[in-house]
Amino acid sequence: MLIAILPDGSLRILNASKADEGKYICQGVNIFGSAEIIASLSVKEPTRIELTPKRTELTVGESIVINCKAIHDPSLDVTFYWTLKGQPIDFDKEGGHFESIRASPPGPPGVVIVEEITESTATLSWSPATDNHSPISSYNLQARSPFSLGWQTVKTVPEVITGDMESAMAVDLNPWVEYEFRVVATNPIGTGDPSIPSRMIRTNEAVPKTAPSNVSGRSGRRHELVIAWEPVSEEFQNGEGFGYIVAFRPNGTRGWKEKMVTSSDASKFIYRDESVPPLTPFEVKVGVYNNKGDGPFSQIVVICSAEGEPTAAPIDVTATSVSVSEIFVVWKHVKESLGRPQGFEIGYWKDTEPEDSTETVRTRGNESFVMLTGLEGDTLYHLTVRAYNGAGYGPPSREVSATTKRHPPSEPPGNLRWEQQGSQVSLGWEPVRPLANESEVMGYKVFYRQEGHSKGQVIETQKPQAVVPLPESGVYIIEVRAYSEGGDGTASSQIRVPSYSV
């Protein structure tokens, strides 16, 4: 944009664009005052011809449509003017043979008929679409199946379907798949609406061509060879009676042992042979078949027979009561060449309940300890530890026992009294006496914090008295609890003590 102010104060804008749209304000000022005007500028896109008439030859008596398409600003209408030999054409002249028409894209083609089906092709025919005053240049063939994302353009023979054709062959279809077809017409103006879909057809069966992928081994029990794969999608099974052929042989041998898996959804086969040692390498491949014949095998992979479940029980298991609701368990694992554990399972139950009511906690990896939580207080528990892996569980350890701590005292410290001495305060209270089923008092904890602060400090003492420092000015909130091996007891009533430290 180039801007210039003319001598009379006018504003000249050269090479205007849409970015120059908006309100412009002109203000004039002198010693007697000021005045202003507001002008709005709207910039329209230029009109241009996109589809131009072409030089055409025809025989006397024939009819022709000469196309002309213009692109213009959407806020404006466009009017077309036709001239012949420099003179405007009079479309209203009686007996004239000129007609002004406004083209639009073609209409939908007529009924689509499926005439011939093979395992990978379908021959289709349709009735022509209405051209809407602009000759149809081409047709596009689309298909839809249960496995496609909506309608998809398919390959055809011929590759380009011209506007004068009314049949074509869809190719590269999948065998034994249900399809619907539709046809879309295109002219120089644009692409029209699709036809009504054809009846649903199923292509013919064929021998499967897609082998399973991701063939691998899985964990299993001792003397088992577990073979897994990714199942072939129904879209590529190519017919009824689909299944898998699992072939395997010990590494270095010649003959293949084959097993049939008749389920099309199968993804695993387990071969068991008591004579197969753990971790024996096997060559494995998985093929496919259906009622039409055998398809390809996957690439050969080498996997090993299962090493089996752990065979040794953990040793040196100890259980230590930590609190009213926790027991800490420690053990040692006997290392072995086979049946390596993926973790350990701890089973525990109350002395007053049968062993079949066992609850379990699992660890993963090589951890050799665990904290059991959420237990009942003053309760005898029995427990065992055993290793596990993908093949199963190993034998349990010997049974050990531990009793959780008794509950802390429920009585709060009473008759809390205090005496302030400068920047500290002396506290005293009546001793707490636990009930018969509660833990003995081991001492007291004094909790204190400044008012408005969530974080505070703690002082421990074995006697029913303490001196609390109040280092900063403000109000301190103080409470006292008895503590025992079962944890902290009930809190005393709170007191609020002012401090005037500098």
Side-chain angles (χ1 to χ4, degrees):
M1 176 179 69
L2 297 176
I3 297 177
I5 298 179
L6 303 181
D8 63 356
S10 300
L11 178 69
R12 174 187 288 171
I13 301 176
L14 301 178
N15 193 23
S17 67
K18 294 289 285 187
D20 299 323
E21 286 189 332
K23 291 185 178 180
Y24 289 80
I25 300 175
C26 176
Q27 188 176 51
V29 181
N30 62 18
I31 60 175
F32 298 106
S34 63
E36 66 180 28
I37 62 168
I38 299 176
S40 295
L41 177 64
S42 177
V43 181
K44 304 297 182 182
E45 292 289 345
T47 300
R48 63 181 187 274
I49 299 296
E50 181 186 52
L51 181 63
T52 59
K54 297 180 180 179
R55 182 181 181 87
T56 306
E57 294 182 359
L58 70 160
T59 304
V60 173
E62 291 183 336
S63 298
I64 187 175
V65 174
I66 302 176
N67 294 304
C68 182
K69 182 181 179 182
I71 295 178
H72 57 92
D73 192 285
S75 66
L76 301 174
D77 290 329
V78 64
T79 302
F80 293 92
Y81 294 95
W82 286 86
T83 63
L84 175 62
K85 298 178 181 179
Q87 298 298 317
I89 297 175
D90 184 1
F91 294 103
D92 298 325
K93 181 180 180 181
E94 188 172 344
H97 58 281
F98 293 104
E99 181 184 8
S100 177
I101 59 175
R102 182 178 291 273
S104 57
V111 177
V112 179
I113 300 173
V114 183
E115 298 182 340
E116 186 178 352
I117 304 167
T118 70
E119 62 188 38
S120 62
T121 67
T123 301
L124 312 173
S125 65
W126 59 91
S127 54
T130 303
D131 64 11
N132 290 335
H133 310 295
S134 181
I136 294 173
S137 55
S138 65
Y139 286 101
N140 178 259
L141 192 56
Q142 299 176 344
R144 178 172 65 181
S145 78
F147 311 105
S148 66
L149 296 175
W151 292 95
Q152 302 289 326
T153 299
V154 294
K155 292 184 179 180
T156 59
V157 173
E159 185 175 350
V160 177
I161 307 173
T162 57
D164 58 348
M165 299 180 65
E166 298 178 18
S167 66
M169 178 185 292
V171 298
D172 291 351
L173 305 178
N174 289 327
W176 200 240
V177 170
E178 291 181 327
Y179 287 98
E180 294 176 283
F181 299 93
R182 70 181 188 184
V183 181
V184 181
T186 300
N187 66 12
I189 305 301
T191 298
D193 293 330
S195 68
I196 296 174
S198 70
R199 65 182 176 89
M200 184 174 289
I201 61 96
R202 185 187 286 272
T203 49
N204 297 338
E205 293 181 279
V207 173
K209 298 180 180 180
T210 303
S213 59
N214 297 329
V215 178
S216 61
R218 293 287 188 271
S219 299
R221 297 186 178 278
R222 204 174 301 277
H223 309 301
E224 287 182 349
L225 176 66
V226 182
I227 304 167
W229 61 89
E230 188 173 315
V232 175
S233 165
E234 183 182 352
E235 182 179 7
F236 303 108
Q237 293 178 5
N238 290 11
E240 292 186 312
F242 183 86
Y244 300 94
I245 305 170
V246 182
F248 51 94
R249 65 187 179 189
N251 206 6
T253 62
R254 299 186 63 180
W256 291 95
K257 186 185 291 288
E258 293 186 351
K259 297 292 182 180
M260 307 288 284
V261 179
T262 58
S263 171
S264 61
D265 298 326
S267 61
K268 184 172 68 174
F269 173 76
I270 300 176
Y271 172 70
R272 183 171 180 80
D273 186 339
E274 296 292 337
S275 66
V276 175
L279 298 178
T280 300
F282 280 80
E283 289 183 308
V284 173
K285 60 182 180 179
V286 181
V288 291
Y289 71 91
N290 63 17
N291 289 347
K292 300 294 287 186
D294 294 347
F297 276 92
S298 66
Q299 292 185 337
I300 296 174
V301 298
V302 176
I303 65 175
C304 291
S305 60
E307 59 179 340
E309 64 276 8
T311 57
I315 61 173
D316 295 343
V317 180
T318 60
T320 305
S321 177
V322 177
S323 70
V324 69
S325 61
E326 297 172 314
I327 293 177
F328 188 63
V329 185
V330 180
W331 62 89
K332 290 182 180 178
H333 172 61
V334 178
K335 293 184 179 180
E336 49 190 332
S337 59
L338 300 175
R340 291 166 294 183
Q342 295 175 351
F344 296 88
E345 183 181 85
I346 298 85
Y348 60 96
W349 64 97
K350 298 177 186 176
D351 181 64
T352 56
E353 296 178 348
E355 188 174 347
D356 57 12
S357 63
T358 299
E359 296 186 60
T360 59
V361 171
R362 275 190 168 192
T363 68
R364 296 187 63 85
N366 296 323
E367 287 187 355
S368 58
F369 60 88
V370 71
M371 181 74 78
L372 301 180
T373 60
L375 308 177
E376 291 187 12
D378 195 21
T379 302
L380 175 62
Y381 283 89
H382 305 287
L383 56 93
T384 60
V385 183
R386 60 178 178 173
Y388 70 89
N389 61 17
Y393 294 94
S397 68
R398 67 177 181 84
E399 181 182 310
V400 295
S401 303
T403 301
T404 51
K405 304 294 185 181
R406 286 183 292 174
H407 288 277
S410 56
E411 178 186 356
N415 194 21
L416 187 60
R417 54 195 181 277
W418 57 277
E419 180 181 351
Q420 190 168 359
Q421 299 172 341
S423 61
Q424 63 184 23
V425 60
S426 297
L427 298 175
W429 56 89
E430 293 181 357
V432 172
R433 293 176 176 81
L435 301 178
N437 62 343
E438 295 176 341
S439 303
E440 291 296 327
V441 174
M442 298 171 61
Y444 299 90
K445 294 180 180 179
V446 180
F447 298 86
Y448 64 102
R449 61 181 174 83
Q450 278 189 294
E451 191 172 48
H453 292 225
S454 58
K455 189 175 181 181
Q457 294 179 286
V458 180
I459 295 175
E460 291 189 9
T461 177
Q462 275 68 50
K463 297 179 180 181
Q465 60 189 44
V467 176
V468 178
L470 307 177
E472 298 180 9
S473 297
V475 176
Y476 284 80
I477 298 175
I478 303 174
E479 66 180 30
V480 182
R481 297 172 183 259
Y483 69 86
S484 66
E485 64 176 9
D488 292 347
T490 306
S492 68
S493 58
Q494 293 182 344
I495 61 172
R496 299 171 77 254
V497 179
S499 173
Y500 305 102
S501 298
V502 179

